[in-house]
Amino acid sequence: MATAADIAAMRRAIALAARGLGSTSPNPVVGCVVTDPAGRIVGEGCHLRAGGPHAEVHALRAAGDRARGGTAYVTLEPCDHTGRTGPCTRALADAGIRRVVYAVPDPTPQAAGGSATLRAAGIRTESGLLAAEAAEGNTAWLTAVRAGRPYVLWKYAATLDGRIAAADRTSRWITSPEARADVHRLRAEADAVVIGSGTLAADDPQLAVRGIEGAVQPLRVVLDTRAAIRPAARILDGAAPTLVAVGEDAGIPEVPGAEFIRLPPAEDGGPGLSVRALLAELYGRGVRSVLLEGGPTLAGAFVAAGAVDRVVGYLAPVLLGAGPAALGGAGIGTIADALRLDMTETVRIGPDLRITAVPTAVSAVSAAAADAVAAAPAPEPALKER
């Protein structure tokens, strides 16, 4: 059974892993804590960027010789392959680690199998400790691995009566400065931010992360079927890379500061571009998490495509009575077809309310946690020796 010290060390590893959100794709976020034979923490680390040292390597370097005979707590099963870095299993064995406790088995064929290699080297391995918490922190990556497309978080800001703008289309600002600052945190944790041409024309957003030191700027993506983007658009300011998706028959304008790609039309024959094709393109570029910031039409297209994994709504204590709603046509014609959500968090931010929810039928968090438990070799207690 897991001890209080085991749980504390793994919880610390989970907190360390979160430092890599938004900067490690296409790799997962991973945290590691190393203790000496007496149980004292002697090394900590996290994976900070793709191609850089893994969490175990950072922690082992910090621990030095004090790691010999000790325990490594890792949020994800140590990798057993050589890519841009060497296998973490070898690093752990070479450091003299005698016990490895990891939360979530690695679901990828190329990196899995680390626990078997560790056992073959005489290292005691245990899995499943705080699996649900570790999986929650790695939800985007686990969802992307399982679905073969980026994880999508749809964010919107609205009044209490569900309006994202007034009848005259003015929308700045519905929510408070505190809520808007929180959106920059979401951007910093995402690999790409996606909007449609309607939002581009109405708001001329920059979409870069501001106010967060050291943040890696996400890829800025515009779905612009008719290639109507203007050279003066703020999204072309060079603060972050910009990708513009246009229709198959659209001309490519002379617009510096952007890369253009062509996408097929929406699968249902409606207006706009194929959501599935967009996500496949982004996945091929190493994008594992998407922040959807578009308007109601684009949000409706993602919902209709079954491509929304989490919803974050910022609700302001404001009433408008008229104006566009947060969600447009999503292929829902009757209450029986409504997309039901499980509310996972409600937080007050300044005068506003931030509500987080996941689709009931396909909860990214519960599915990721279930995958983690199901991937364990045997139905034993949460922390098991092997």
Side-chain angles (χ1 to χ4, degrees):
M1 294 296 293
T3 66
D6 290 330
I7 293 172
M10 184 60 78
R11 192 154 279 142
R12 174 59 181 166
I14 292 170
L16 290 167
R19 295 180 180 178
L21 286 170
S23 64
T24 64
S25 285
N27 295 347
V29 295
V30 183
C32 178
V33 168
V34 172
T35 61
D36 65 13
R40 295 182 292 261
I41 293 178
V42 292
E44 296 183 340
C46 62
H47 185 43
L48 293 173
R49 61 180 178 83
H54 289 187
E56 296 94 322
V57 173
H58 281 300
L60 290 171
R61 286 176 181 171
D65 291 340
R66 295 173 296 174
R68 191 160 299 277
T71 297
Y73 299 86
V74 196
T75 56
L76 186 70
E77 179 182 12
C79 68
D80 194 37
H81 77 297
T82 299
R84 284 183 280 183
T85 61
C88 290
T89 51
R90 183 185 304 162
L92 291 163
D94 290 347
I97 289 291
R98 287 291 173 261
R99 176 181 176 234
V100 173
V101 180
Y102 64 91
V104 179
D106 194 314
T108 57
Q110 65 269 32
S115 59
T117 298
L118 291 170
R119 291 196 303 274
I123 298 174
R124 175 183 170 190
T125 65
E126 303 166 10
S127 71
L129 178 62
L130 300 185
E133 290 184 32
E136 161 68 13
N138 230 350
T139 294
W141 183 80
L142 288 168
T143 300
V145 168
R146 185 179 67 251
R149 63 157 176 83
Y151 168 90
V152 177
L153 186 157
W154 170 40
K155 161 263 165 188
Y156 70 91
T159 62
L160 281 183
D161 55 342
R163 308 295 178 175
I164 62 168
D168 64 357
R169 299 287 170 164
T170 55
S171 61
R172 292 186 178 181
W173 294 102
I174 287 176
T175 53
S176 64
E178 294 91 338
R180 299 198 297 275
D182 194 62
V183 171
H184 285 278
R185 175 187 60 82
L186 296 182
R187 288 181 185 171
E189 294 178 357
D191 299 332
V193 180
V194 177
I195 63 169
S197 57
T199 297
L200 183 67
D203 297 338
D204 190 25
Q206 186 198 31
L207 297 184
V209 177
R210 298 185 295 276
I212 299 180
E213 185 177 354
V216 175
Q217 293 293 346
L219 175 67
R220 301 179 291 188
V221 182
V222 183
L223 274 70
D224 186 14
T225 305
R226 298 180 180 84
I229 188 169
R230 298 176 294 104
R234 295 176 67 216
I235 203 171
L236 302 173
D237 63 0
T242 300
L243 181 69
V244 182
V246 302
E248 293 175 321
D249 299 328
I252 302 297
E254 292 292 332
V255 177
E259 178 185 357
F260 287 81
I261 59 169
R262 296 185 187 278
L263 292 180
E267 288 84 2
D268 60 4
L273 303 173
S274 167
V275 169
R276 295 190 187 115
L278 171 69
L279 293 177
E281 173 72 28
L282 294 178
Y283 189 85
R285 291 169 176 261
V287 170
R288 296 296 178 263
S289 61
V290 164
L291 176 62
L292 180 62
E293 289 201 47
T297 300
L298 189 60
F302 270 74
V303 169
V308 171
D309 300 295
R310 183 170 298 194
V311 179
V312 175
Y314 295 88
L315 299 183
V318 175
L319 298 175
L320 285 174
L327 184 64
I332 300 171
T334 178
I335 192 66
D337 296 331
L339 178 61
R340 303 288 178 177
L341 306 174
D342 290 330
M343 197 177 301
T344 60
E345 185 185 50
T346 303
V347 177
R348 182 161 181 170
I349 298 184
D352 305 320
L353 194 63
R354 185 187 70 204
I355 297 178
T356 304
V358 295
T360 300
V362 189
S363 166
V365 176
S366 62
D371 282 355
V373 175
E380 298 178 16
L383 177 67
K384 54 178 180 293
E385 276 184 42
R386 300 192 291 166

